[in-house]
Each structure stands twice: as C-alpha cells, then as structure tokens.
Amino acid sequence: MDKKLVKLMDIPFINIAKKDLLNNNLYPSLDKRQKCYVVTANPEIVMKTREDASYKKMVKKADYIVPDGAGIVMASKLQKEPIQERVAGYDLMLDLLAYADKHGLSCYFLGAKEHVNEKLVSKVKEKYPDLTLAGHHHGYFSIDDPSIVNDVANSNPDLIFVALGSPRQEAWITQHMDKFTKGLFMGVGGSFDVLAGEVKRAPEGWINLNLEWLYRLLKQPFRWRRILKAVEFMVRIFLKKK
C-alpha cells in the first residue's frame, strides 16, 4: 500500500488513522511474516534527529514513522499538511498485543529494569493468555552483546518490543534486524513501565485534551528538559512557517 507521508524537519511521518495503519499495513505484514520496523516519534525524538545525524539515519530506516505526540499533529497543521491523528506508541503496542493474542503470535519483550520486565511478562500472560511468549530480557546489557541478539533471534518471534529508550532501542533494532528472517520490531520507550503498573498513565480526559505531556510533567518533574525540547520543536516549526 502506498504511504501518505508528511515531512517535519525531514522526518517522514505516516499520515493515516491508527485503525488503517493496523488493518492495512501492520496486521498484513504480520500475516505475511514480513520484517517491519516501526518508530513512534514525538517532538523530542525529532529534535534528537536534528542534533545527531547517526540517530537520524536509524529513525529514517523505519518502515513506518508514527506521530506519537500532540506536538507532531499541531506542527503538521501549522505546516498546512495536517496529520489525521496522534498515534500513541503505548496504544499501538496494546493493539498489537491484542492481535497477537487473537492469532496466537509470539512476542519477545526486551528492555526495562529486571523487576519491571518480570512484572510486565506476568501482566501480559494474565491479559493475553493466547499470546505465545517467545522470551524476555531486561534492558541492562550492551547493545553489541551477541548473546542477547542470538537469544531473541533463536526464539523466532513475530513481534519484538524493545524498551531501551532512545537512541538505544533504535540502535539495537537497526544494528541487528538483518539477523532475523521475520518480525515486527517496535521501540516502545517507557511502555513496559506503564503496562507493568510501575508508572500510571494520564487519565483519559487529559489524553483527549492532548495534555498527557502536562500530566507526566506534574507526576515526573525531572522530565522538564524533555518539555523544553518539545517547545523548541514548536518554535522552530513556527519560525519556518513565518
């Protein structure tokens, strides 16, 4: 299927609704046992690509760069190329887990602290009993460690969720994807912490008002530097428009 794209600071975001992305792109890719790489990018990630050329190459290798952040959608409107909707990485992960559960697909969970990873796996088994657990490992390892790559590859997973944070998760995926014959690879940042119940997600009302970022800032004040990056992103988009 042809992809409708909107470029923001030279990062090509896919511009379709989440249900269409899943039904027309990601689910068929899984059904055909194809390799697929998904990046869910927010303003902070876009700014990082602007500052780091090697990281930009990692992100642009993705088959689908998804607009994960209200700032991305707002910027697209300022640019007069409106993106249809924000596609939160956490929600996308849940949809893929539900599909894996329905079709008996296998998943590998790579990343987060050891106790979080264990708790996540327990929650997944409880919530998605028909999903096959290919394997799991915490995120405290060198991305060059061949034993980790071999463990993941030998488990032959259909979906590989990588929660190492940026840029480590994109570096691990782009460095090792060629060692796999199939698999949907997706960097999911802090999503393991949320699904494991270690971090509380914003209430639905905040999410609907595109204020999830503010809720997270109030709960985790140490994130203020990330918010500044998002502000800088919007300022640069606005100045470019002017």
Side-chain angles (χ1 to χ4, degrees):
M1 179 183 175
D2 291 334
K3 292 184 281 187
K4 298 175 183 176
L5 302 174
V6 172
K7 276 195 175 185
L8 295 170
M9 291 188 184
D10 200 37
I11 300 302
F13 285 90
I14 189 161
N15 184 20
I16 57 175
K18 180 172 69 116
K19 64 179 177 61
D20 294 327
L21 171 64
L22 288 163
N23 292 327
N24 299 335
N25 299 76
L26 302 187
Y27 294 159
S29 180
L30 287 168
D31 294 341
K32 294 172 186 174
R33 302 295 191 264
Q34 295 172 334
K35 273 199 286 189
C36 179
Y37 167 32
V38 179
V39 169
T40 62
N42 57 21
E44 182 192 357
I45 285 176
V46 175
M47 289 301 295
K48 198 174 291 184
T49 66
R50 189 177 178 276
E51 297 156 3
D52 185 339
S54 63
Y55 180 61
K56 184 177 183 178
K57 285 180 183 177
M58 294 176 204
V59 170
K60 292 187 77 171
K61 281 183 179 179
D63 296 287
Y64 305 101
I65 302 175
V66 178
D68 183 2
I72 298 296
V73 177
M74 289 169 62
S76 72
K77 289 176 181 176
L78 271 176
Q79 200 170 277
K80 305 295 185 187
E81 294 179 278
I83 286 173
Q84 289 187 38
E85 66 178 69
R86 177 198 172 202
V87 181
Y90 180 74
D91 294 332
L92 193 59
M93 182 181 78
L94 294 187
D95 287 325
L96 290 168
L97 288 174
Y99 191 80
D101 185 55
K102 183 178 178 181
H103 296 274
L105 301 181
S106 61
C107 300
Y108 197 107
F109 300 92
L110 182 65
K113 294 177 181 176
E114 188 167 10
H115 80 278
V116 173
N117 190 286
E118 294 285 350
K119 197 172 175 182
L120 163 82
V121 168
S122 178
K123 292 274 188 183
V124 167
K125 286 179 179 177
E126 177 186 323
K127 192 171 181 181
Y128 307 100
D130 294 324
L131 174 156
T132 300
L133 178 66
H136 65 102
H137 196 283
H138 62 75
Y140 289 79
F141 61 88
S142 166
I143 63 168
D144 300 316
D145 187 340
S147 67
I148 302 295
V149 182
N150 291 336
D151 183 56
V152 183
N154 291 338
S155 71
N156 199 31
D158 296 300
L159 298 105
I160 303 95
F161 296 105
V162 186
L164 302 176
S166 297
R168 285 186 75 226
Q169 60 194 25
E170 289 80 24
W172 190 90
I173 292 170
T174 54
Q175 193 170 318
H176 302 300
M177 243 184 102
D178 63 343
K179 301 173 181 70
F180 294 74
T181 58
K182 66 168 185 177
L184 188 154
F185 295 78
M186 180 174 162
V188 295
S191 293
F192 285 7
D193 298 81
V194 180
L195 188 52
E198 292 286 300
V199 174
K200 187 178 178 184
R201 197 179 182 199
E204 192 173 344
W206 290 68
I207 295 171
N208 292 338
L209 291 170
N210 290 323
L211 292 174
E212 189 170 7
W213 63 271
L214 179 58
Y215 181 87
R216 293 172 74 183
L217 180 61
L218 293 171
K219 293 290 182 181
Q220 300 172 310
F222 60 85
R223 297 176 62 89
W224 65 271
R225 283 191 178 87
R226 297 184 181 186
I227 302 302
L228 283 183
K229 282 294 177 187
V231 171
E232 183 185 348
F233 168 79
M234 290 304 299
V235 168
R236 288 185 179 277
I237 292 290
F238 180 76
L239 290 176
K240 182 183 175 184
K241 175 180 177 289
K242 297 291 282 186

